[in-house]
Amino acid sequence: MNKLSGKTALVTGSSRGIGRAMALGLAREGALVAVHYGHDEQAAKETVALIEKDGGQAFPVGAQLGTPGAIDQLFAGLEAGLREHTGHTVLDILVNNAAATTTGGTPEEIPAEQLDQIFEVNAKAPFLIVQRALDLIPDGGRIVNISSAVTRKAIPTQVVYAMSKGAIDQLTLHFARHLADRRITVNSVLPGATDNGSAVFQIPEVRESMSQISAFKRLGEPEEVADVVVFLATEQARWITGASLDATGGSLLG
Ligand code: NAP
């Protein structure tokens, strides 16, 4: 028996990268997965196809977070997909994974518009998604918020992104308390430098310098973060809530 048979899940930003690995991992344990994407529908369909090839069940849902009407669009697509596949709209597992990243630059150079955009996608959207999902999540459900190791280690060029991820950790802390009487667990997972397949991770010098961050002296693989998320979604993790799980390969050991 798979650990998540009969469960349903939404993974935001699972068209590629770590989110795709999470969607595949949850589906492998038997969950029906809503594969959310922002602009790349084709990539989301590829994630769905990979899950189906693996014998799992999934459907794509599009919504460009941080744009007007995105939350309504996300939930309309989610509820329609759940209804079509299960006959109901119960959502057992919510993973807030989608995030925008900054291009870097010194803190002095960051324009206010970038601050707004990053907070819209990385902090405000996850809050609104949790708020809205609470009507669909049953007692004993799971919420996992994807944070980052930059909330624990100073990287000045990443200050805005780190601030938005700090907000995600607060979302975890306060909702964990708020939802405990419904046995809904809420946790953060902190990835470190993880090869999400993007071009930057294919540059040898970048790979080499980022590998040095981990105690294991290599980049993380998306599956290594996804396995932690899948664990948190299972019954075995019922006694963990309000926690921040380090999935950085020992990047914060000092
Ligand atoms: P990624 O490869 O850049 O993928 C990002 C995903 O989020 C894509 O599916 C993308 O969909 C979606 N997305 C981005 N902006 C969106 C928006 N405005 N609206 C809707 N969807 C949006 O990311 P990743 O590296 O796998 O990261 C996954 C999570 O881990 C993120 O929360 C990230 O902050 C965190 N993290 C990653 C690393 C790392 O080294 N990779 C390190 C620490 C933390 P579309 O392409 O369709 O827009």
Side-chain angles (χ1 to χ4, degrees), residues 71-86:
I71 305 296
D72 286 342
Q73 191 187 339
L74 170 61
F75 278 85
L78 172 67
E79 290 179 35
L82 289 174
R83 209 172 277 115
E84 184 188 327
H85 285 80
T86 66

Side-chain angles (χ1 to χ4, degrees), residues 11-20 22 36-41 43-44 62-67 70 96-101 117 120-122 125 145-150 161 165 168 189-198 201 210 219-220 222 225 248:
V11 183
T12 66
S14 49
S15 52
R16 59 189 160 90
I18 306 173
R20 173 180 277 183
M22 292 173 192
H36 164 258
Y37 64 95
H39 72 279
D40 195 345
E41 183 179 10
Q64 186 75 38
L65 301 176
T67 62
N96 270 313
N97 167 75
T101 46
Q117 192 244 339
E120 280 283 343
V121 178
N122 296 4
N145 298 314
I146 306 306
S147 179
S148 170
V150 296
Y161 171 75
K165 290 297 187 177
I168 273 278
V189 171
L190 282 67
T194 310
D195 184 355
N196 59 13
S198 69
F201 286 111
M210 287 201 163
L219 291 170
V225 178
T248 70

Side-chain angles (χ1 to χ4, degrees), residues 120-143:
E120 280 283 343
V121 178
N122 296 4
K124 193 170 161 188
F127 176 86
L128 294 173
I129 291 170
V130 169
Q131 200 181 46
R132 191 72 172 262
L134 287 180
D135 287 341
L136 311 181
I137 299 178
D139 290 1
R142 298 281 188 267
I143 299 173

Side-chain angles (χ1 to χ4, degrees), residues 88-169:
H88 56 68
T89 58
V90 173
L91 180 69
D92 299 289
I93 302 154
L94 164 64
V95 185
N96 270 313
N97 167 75
T101 46
T102 47
T103 44
T106 65
E108 290 85 348
E109 291 166 351
I110 296 164
E113 301 73 44
Q114 194 173 92
L115 208 78
D116 288 341
Q117 192 244 339
I118 293 286
F119 270 81
E120 280 283 343
V121 178
N122 296 4
K124 193 170 161 188
F127 176 86
L128 294 173
I129 291 170
V130 169
Q131 200 181 46
R132 191 72 172 262
L134 287 180
D135 287 341
L136 311 181
I137 299 178
D139 290 1
R142 298 281 188 267
I143 299 173
V144 182
N145 298 314
I146 306 306
S147 179
S148 170
V150 296
T151 56
R152 304 287 191 275
K153 199 178 165 92
I155 305 179
T157 54
Q158 296 294 319
V159 58
V160 173
Y161 171 75
M163 285 165 68
S164 72
K165 290 297 187 177
I168 273 278
D169 291 339

